[in-house]
Amino acid sequence: MQPFLKVDQVTKRFHKVVANDRVSFDVMPGEIHCLLGENGAGKSTIAECIYGFYKPDEGTITVQGNPAGLTSPRDAIARGIGMVHQHFVLVSSMTVLENIVIGTDAARPILDLKAAAARIREIGRRYDVDIDLEARIWQLPVGQQQWVEILKALFQGARLLIMDEPTAVLTPQEARRLFQIFREMTADGLSVILISHKFDDVMQSDRVTVLRRAKVIGTVNTRETTKEALTNMMVGRSVELRVKRDEHPRGAPVLEVRDLRAANDFGTEKLSGIDLTVHRGEIVGIAGVAGNGQGELFEALIGARKTRGGSIRLDGADITGRSPAEIQRMGMGYIPDDRFADGLVGDYDIQSNLILGHHRREPFARRGLLQFRAIRDFARKAIEELEIKAPSETTRTRSLSGGNAQKVIVAREFAQATKVILANQPSRGLDVGVIEYMHERLLEKRRNDFGILLASEELDELLGLADRIVVIFKGRILGEFAAGTADIERIGLLMAGQETAGKAEEIS
Amino acid sequence: MGDLFTDTIVISVLAATIRIATPLILAALGELIAERAGILNLGVEGTMLMAAFAAFIGAYATGSTLMALLLAVLAGMAMSFIMVFMAATLKVEQVVTGLALNLLAAGMSLYLYKAFFAVEGQAMPTVAVMPVAPIPFLSEIPYIGPILFTQKVLTYVALLMVPVVWFFLYRTKYGLEIRCLGENPKAIDTKGMSVSLRQYGAVMAGGALCGLAGAFVTIGSSARFVPDITNGRGWLALVIVIAANWRPSGILIAALVFAFLDALQLQIQGIGVQMPYQIFLALPYVLAIVLMVLKSRRGRSEEPARLGVPYFRGER
Ligand SMILES: Nc1ncnc2c1ncn2[C@@H]1O[C@H](COP(=O)(O)OP(=O)(O)OP(=O)(O)O)[C@@H](O)[C@H]1O
Ligand SMILES: [Mg+2]
């Protein structure tokens, strides 16, 4: 059989950075082909080249045996290639229908979208996707936005769908749905290129091509390989997939939350009386589907969100209503889930981001003047210690890959915090190497008697790291499990809001 | 004081309102199209000024209103070409570009005026002002006729442009694409459509409307050209776009409100009420500030999310 797509010796450079170095692989009709690689390995870049968004410096891309000469997404779309980008490209103030139709031939000079709507509904029925075409994008949860992106590609007649980390923002259930859809598509002879860091996704593909530092390490049949083997190819060494959590006695309570209430930005109550205690030398995991109040909880704890009631104590001192600056000074560190929105200033260089929030303190500032030598030394040390891959400490943070950006935040918060670390989805979108690193660091902080509050949508991560797991649902803590007694099924039920399931397991 | 409310006075104030609103509507609609495409063109004032001058020259040299309007439109498009070239192609800071355009227009119109007319003796050159064009029958309707249908052609054009621009933005594919540029240009780019081409189209179409607005200020209202004849109307148009929450219908309303305040002020001055008229001159701007404060508390703003942000493909 002839491959649908053949990528041959493609090289792509950004100035001095070689993002793809003679990359070759092919995709068969009806295949789910996975691209796997560390953060910054060049997965998104090769995908953009196939989509015609970036122009390769060397090499050829062939579609159904014909050299494609892709110079614009227009060519790619015409040849049946569709792409869902790592960060969605939707217009949030417009309707689903408008987002799908824009730029296609369904958009006549004078818009009449009825015919288009009928065709979209048709596609929706085929894949069992039910979505309100008149809804505006901002009204939809991210999971649904993902369907919009897929419909967008299918509507344009995509035969090959490139999905750049589609499951990073999905709940486990939504991810399962997504793969169901993929399988229906491949049954129709369509192909999927899937970029993902999650082995649950990777293992559902037909073949895997592993990239490391811009080069292809190899392509393997998924059935004939294992997680461990893939990890080895990807990182170039073996990675401990299961963390080793040694016993460590927990100390006195260091973070005590009582009956905490808060609303989201639109005034809707998102925290309805949270009770939570974190002790020294303990990791407390928060399990829950995104959007159940995790973000609001962390923001309230660090002082960035007004509370509507309840109290927060840090090492005995009441910090309710204090400013983030004060709370940080009192020893709390925070790793937010949205790196670039809340954790970093993308246009600042790495060294500035590394001292952000602590820039007024010695040794970074003296008598109101920044001490550049101290800042630079600190930055160089952090870059070396955390193996942040960047040309220098003055590189713009925005140009870092997800994993390296995360390391900058970790370096800053871990260096400054003295008592408590808050981490919201710290491993989202990161490769196994960086995740392993994150976990080691969190456990090290635990050994140093920090109290750690960790939210994650990955139950495995929590089961591996946390001493206790609480489940959050609609702004309430529904159940609490000790590390040993935690049962995935029960936690799953609680995450879906079935309250009775966990009661029996509750410990005091 | 009773005089203030007789029929004739009310009618004349309201008719003046429509007249004064004309350049505001045209310029604000032009700016709206540009802003919807993501380009903040602060050069409206200068664009209007250059167009006003071009219209004056056109009328003076050819005596033809049509030629004058054509020149004004060309001038408006030329000015906005500079704007969009800097913004979409060179990706220069848009605020600075707009401000520079205003300075350029202020200096250049004055320089050209002197260059053209310095030799022609002392008397200020004049042109024929566009005549009022009452619409048959409609203009005879009591009250409404003299207010709405006894205006100049450009005024009818301005009022007509409100639904036309609305239809263009919300009912055509070009409008959809332009609105998309202001919200998320990458959505256009990833479909293989040119972002900058569309921005050129939008900003220059807006410039053409601005050109008509400028023409109204000279040949539509005044026989003479004086320096800085636009007198802040371009800035007011910018405020109107905001007050209108980036909607064509809102522009009509906001422009009429501002124009009404101005018309009232003229009337009050005219009948010699003992009150510093500067207070009324300041009123539109005071109202503008009040509106801005209120806007910040209003629910969902229609402001284009990527207004004034240059688009780079490789950005992440
Ligand atoms: N537009 C750009 N300009 C400059 N450098 C870039 C650009 N895009 C990517 N790079 C660099 O190219 C390399 C590959 O990046 P790419 O985004 O393809 O990685 P990735 O494998 O998708 O990583 P992740 O898993 O974090 O998404 C990185 O070193 C990155 O910093
Ligand atoms: Mg990527």
Side-chain angles (χ1 to χ4, degrees):
Chain A
M1 206 173 14
Q2 189 190 36
F4 180 83
L5 175 87
K6 206 164 149 40
V7 176
D8 198 19
Q9 301 281 313
V10 166
T11 298
K12 173 72 190 168
R13 296 182 201 92
F14 294 105
H15 310 288
K16 292 232 175 69
V17 181
V18 183
N20 292 141
D21 187 2
R22 283 163 288 158
V23 168
S24 303
F25 68 97
D26 56 34
V27 181
M28 303 304 284
E31 179 188 3
I32 301 180
H33 194 112
C34 189
L35 291 183
L36 186 65
E38 291 179 279
N39 293 118
K43 306 178 296 293
S44 296
T45 305
I46 191 66
E48 297 288 13
C49 287
I50 297 170
Y51 190 57
F53 199 65
Y54 290 159
K55 225 172 137 296
D57 297 313
E58 287 152 35
T60 52
I61 295 171
T62 325
V63 179
Q64 290 177 310
N66 306 313
L70 305 169
T71 54
S72 131
R74 181 133 281 197
D75 304 330
I77 292 167
R79 285 175 172 76
I81 299 172
M83 175 156 177
V84 176
H85 289 78
Q86 190 164 3
H87 306 281
F88 296 159
V89 194
L90 296 169
V91 183
S92 59
S93 63
M94 292 188 185
T95 65
V96 172
L97 185 57
E98 286 173 325
N99 269 283
I100 294 176
V101 162
I102 192 166
T104 66
D105 5 317
R108 301 274 153 66
I110 290 185
L111 288 176
D112 176 16
L113 301 180
K114 283 207 194 64
R119 245 176 74 207
I120 296 167
R121 288 211 183 84
E122 183 79 23
I123 300 172
R125 262 197 300 282
R126 169 72 192 81
Y127 295 110
D128 214 8
V129 175
D130 185 28
I131 201 160
D132 177 8
L133 294 183
E134 292 307 320
R136 296 192 181 268
I137 298 297
W138 62 268
Q139 298 170 318
L140 300 178
V142 262
Q144 298 239 329
Q145 294 183 14
Q146 178 84 259
W147 306 146
V148 178
E149 282 282 16
I150 294 174
L151 282 176
K152 221 165 103 178
L154 291 178
F155 182 72
Q156 292 187 303
R159 306 285 307 155
L160 166 68
L161 192 61
I162 307 171
M163 303 283 301
D164 197 350
E165 294 195 35
T167 54
V169 294
L170 298 186
T171 65
Q173 289 84 345
E174 285 170 325
R176 231 171 287 147
R177 272 292 290 122
L178 185 68
F179 275 92
Q180 237 167 348
I181 292 176
F182 286 168
R183 270 187 289 273
E184 280 164 42
M185 285 169 49
T186 51
D188 289 351
L190 274 62
S191 314
V192 177
I193 293 181
L194 174 72
I195 300 175
S196 179
H197 291 294
K198 297 190 187 173
F199 280 103
D200 284 350
D201 302 346
V202 178
M203 298 319 280
Q204 296 189 60
S205 63
D206 298 306
R207 283 191 299 163
V208 184
T209 292
V210 180
L211 289 168
R212 192 201 311 157
R213 307 220 170 140
K215 291 197 178 78
V216 170
I217 300 299
T219 300
V220 293
N221 287 326
T222 314
R223 250 177 301 132
E224 296 158 12
T225 188
T226 59
K227 286 184 196 188
E228 287 72 22
L230 287 173
T231 312
N232 240 323
M233 285 173 78
M234 182 173 142
V235 190
R237 63 185 165 91
S238 62
V239 170
E240 208 49 62
L241 287 174
R242 288 217 68 88
V243 279
K244 279 197 291 290
R245 198 168 54 90
D246 41 5
E247 283 309 312
H248 180 80
R250 81 178 193 194
V254 65
L255 180 68
E256 294 161 280
V257 182
R258 291 291 163 262
D259 195 31
L260 186 66
R261 288 164 193 280
N264 67 6
D265 294 342
F266 302 105
T268 319
E269 182 164 278
K270 275 295 198 176
L271 298 180
S272 320
I274 296 276
D275 286 301
L276 196 65
T277 305
V278 181
H279 300 81
R280 288 182 180 281
E282 177 188 48
I283 299 182
V284 174
I286 301 183
V289 177
N292 273 294
Q294 293 96 322
E296 286 80 6
L297 174 60
F298 281 102
E299 284 174 8
L301 292 180
I302 196 70
R305 179 169 295 278
K306 269 204 186 123
T307 57
R308 283 184 171 179
S311 69
I312 307 165
R313 301 180 85 81
L314 175 62
D315 207 12
D318 190 352
I319 57 164
T320 327
R322 301 257 187 131
S323 75
E326 281 176 281
I327 294 175
Q328 282 183 16
R329 209 159 30 232
M330 292 168 75
M332 193 126 88
Y334 176 41
I335 303 171
D337 59 341
D338 192 334
R339 269 155 232 155
F340 281 99
D342 301 330
L344 296 166
V345 181
D347 290 328
Y348 283 11
D349 58 14
I350 295 176
Q351 60 178 1
S352 306
N353 271 295
L354 278 169
I355 60 160
L356 216 59
H358 311 285
H359 54 276
R360 289 165 169 240
R361 261 180 272 160
E362 304 246 354
F364 305 134
R366 267 197 203 113
R367 289 182 294 276
L369 294 177
L370 289 176
Q371 301 299 312
F372 285 102
R373 190 185 302 263
I375 295 170
R376 196 191 56 209
D377 292 346
F378 175 71
R380 287 198 175 152
K381 213 172 104 219
I383 289 173
E384 197 184 302
E385 269 178 20
L386 279 80
E387 294 174 29
I388 297 172
K389 287 184 201 114
S392 85
E393 70 277 4
T394 54
T395 305
R396 247 170 45 129
T397 313
R398 195 179 298 285
S399 72
L400 295 180
S401 78
N404 288 305
Q406 183 74 325
K407 284 181 176 177
V408 173
I409 299 179
V410 170
R412 178 183 69 212
E413 298 302 318
F414 279 20
Q416 305 294 341
T418 53
K419 290 171 183 162
V420 171
I421 305 263
L422 308 174
N424 192 7
Q425 314 285 354
S427 50
R428 179 185 278 171
L430 301 186
D431 66 59
V432 283
V434 184
I435 292 177
E436 178 197 38
Y437 170 84
M438 277 278 324
H439 289 175
E440 276 170 6
R441 284 300 164 111
L442 284 172
L443 288 172
E444 179 188 305
K445 286 291 171 192
R446 172 175 171 266
R447 274 195 297 279
N448 295 342
D449 264 342
F450 277 62
I452 296 167
L453 190 61
L454 166 75
S456 174
E457 287 166 54
E458 307 287 323
L459 272 185
D460 286 341
E461 180 172 32
L462 293 180
L463 291 170
L465 284 175
D467 299 288
R468 282 185 296 140
I469 297 176
V470 299
V471 181
I472 191 169
F473 178 76
K474 290 206 172 150
R476 284 206 170 80
I477 301 287
L478 284 195
E480 181 173 324
F481 302 85
T485 68
D487 165 349
I488 297 193
E489 281 307 308
R490 288 236 166 76
I491 296 180
L493 282 174
L494 280 182
M495 282 167 69
Q498 281 152 11
E499 195 153 353
T500 46
K503 281 276 188 261
E505 293 299 317
E506 266 183 54
I507 57 168
S508 47
Chain B
M1 270 308 261
D3 294 354
L4 202 53
F5 299 106
T6 63
D7 278 4
T8 37
I9 288 181
V10 169
I11 287 174
S12 102
V13 167
L14 293 182
T17 299
I18 306 273
R19 176 168 49 78
I20 294 167
T22 303
L24 299 179
I25 293 173
L26 287 168
L29 286 175
E31 176 67 11
L32 173 69
I33 299 176
E35 290 196 9
R36 280 291 186 177
I39 303 228
L40 180 63
N41 184 358
L42 289 188
V44 196
E45 176 79 10
T47 308
M48 274 176 77
L49 184 56
M50 280 314 287
F53 178 73
F56 181 79
I57 287 291
Y60 184 81
T62 67
S64 146
T65 307
L66 213 59
M67 279 307 293
L69 291 179
L70 189 69
L71 267 182
V73 166
L74 286 179
M77 289 173 76
M79 288 295 279
S80 50
F81 175 81
I82 302 178
M83 178 72 216
V84 72
F85 176 72
M86 302 289 269
T89 304
L90 301 183
K91 307 189 196 296
V92 179
E93 168 62 44
Q94 295 177 14
V95 169
V96 175
T97 308
L99 295 180
L101 276 186
N102 293 331
L103 292 176
L104 172 75
M108 188 138 100
S109 60
L110 195 58
Y111 168 76
L112 289 177
Y113 182 77
K114 295 227 165 105
F116 272 98
F117 300 112
V119 281
E120 295 201 11
Q122 308 306 98
M124 277 177 96
T126 57
V127 298
V129 176
M130 281 174 83
V132 170
I135 298 180
F137 308 117
L138 290 178
S139 58
E140 280 153 37
I141 306 172
Y143 298 105
I144 300 190
I147 294 172
L148 263 186
F149 301 112
T150 315
Q151 297 283 359
K152 292 167 186 171
V153 173
L154 263 186
T155 302
Y156 303 136
V157 170
L159 292 175
L160 214 62
M161 284 319 282
V162 176
V164 167
V165 168
W166 173 84
F167 187 85
F168 173 75
L169 282 178
Y170 292 91
R171 286 292 178 271
T172 69
K173 77 167 187 181
Y174 311 106
L176 182 64
E177 287 164 15
I178 283 174
R179 285 186 292 130
C180 193
L181 290 176
E183 299 295 335
N184 188 353
K186 199 171 176 191
I188 293 289
D189 200 15
T190 54
K191 294 255 182 153
M193 298 183 287
S194 164
V195 169
S196 60
L197 185 73
R198 282 164 181 75
Q199 288 181 328
Y200 271 89
V203 175
M204 287 175 68
L209 286 178
C210 246
L212 289 180
F216 191 83
V217 173
T218 44
I219 63 164
S221 331
S222 155
R224 293 189 175 78
F225 181 86
V226 293
D228 197 23
I229 191 169
T230 43
N231 193 19
R233 285 182 187 82
W235 294 109
L236 206 50
L238 280 164
V239 175
I240 286 171
V241 173
I242 299 169
N245 201 16
W246 288 269
R247 286 178 213 269
S249 56
I251 284 180
L252 179 65
I253 295 167
L256 286 175
V257 170
F258 285 129
F260 175 72
L261 290 176
D262 203 11
L264 201 64
Q265 171 264 126
L266 286 174
Q267 185 68 29
I268 289 170
Q269 263 191 74
I271 59 175
V273 172
Q274 287 308 304
M275 217 185 207
Y277 70 95
Q278 286 90 343
I279 289 183
F280 290 93
L281 279 180
L283 263 187
Y285 299 96
V286 173
L287 181 69
I289 292 170
V290 171
L291 278 175
M292 303 275 249
V293 172
L294 290 182
K295 174 190 164 284
S296 68
R297 312 170 154 254
R298 189 166 54 193
R300 224 184 132 66
S301 166
E302 285 271 313
E303 178 173 2
R306 301 300 296 264
L307 184 57
V309 185
Y311 175 69
F312 295 96
R313 171 172 282 198
E315 186 185 63
R316 48 192 263 156

